[in-house]
Amino acid sequence: MDHDLAQLFAAVVSARVADRQARGRLRWDGPFRSDAYRLASSLRAYASALESYRLPVPPVIRDELRLRSGLPL
């Protein structure tokens, strides 16, 4: 369980870095969408894994996931 969650959290961190770098670029096209989608997907996977282990989803993760789910990707 710990290993799975650690890998999923590492994917969230990596996707956040890529998303921030993409937002820093002057172009707002395909690569940005790809990085934003990757972050939303990794957040969903992490939250689902926590719920499957009957662990609480941290409010920061839950809120970010809600925000990203409401925005078009």
Side-chain angles (χ1 to χ4, degrees):
M1 172 176 86
D2 290 338
H3 182 69
D4 292 339
L5 292 176
Q7 282 185 319
L8 289 169
F9 186 72
V12 168
V13 171
S14 174
R16 271 197 188 125
V17 169
D19 184 57
R20 284 186 186 140
Q21 288 175 346
R23 283 189 285 145
R25 294 184 208 136
L26 295 177
R27 294 175 49 198
W28 291 81
D29 56 359
F32 170 76
R33 290 181 174 284
S34 172
D35 292 323
Y37 177 76
R38 178 178 160 211
L39 179 54
S41 296
S42 63
L43 286 167
R44 266 189 237 102
Y46 185 60
S48 293
L50 286 170
E51 289 170 350
S52 73
Y53 290 119
R54 298 179 189 258
L55 296 171
V57 177
V60 172
I61 299 290
R62 185 181 57 238
D63 293 345
E64 186 174 4
L65 185 55
R66 285 181 185 156
L67 284 171
R68 296 209 170 261
S69 295
L71 297 175
L73 296 177

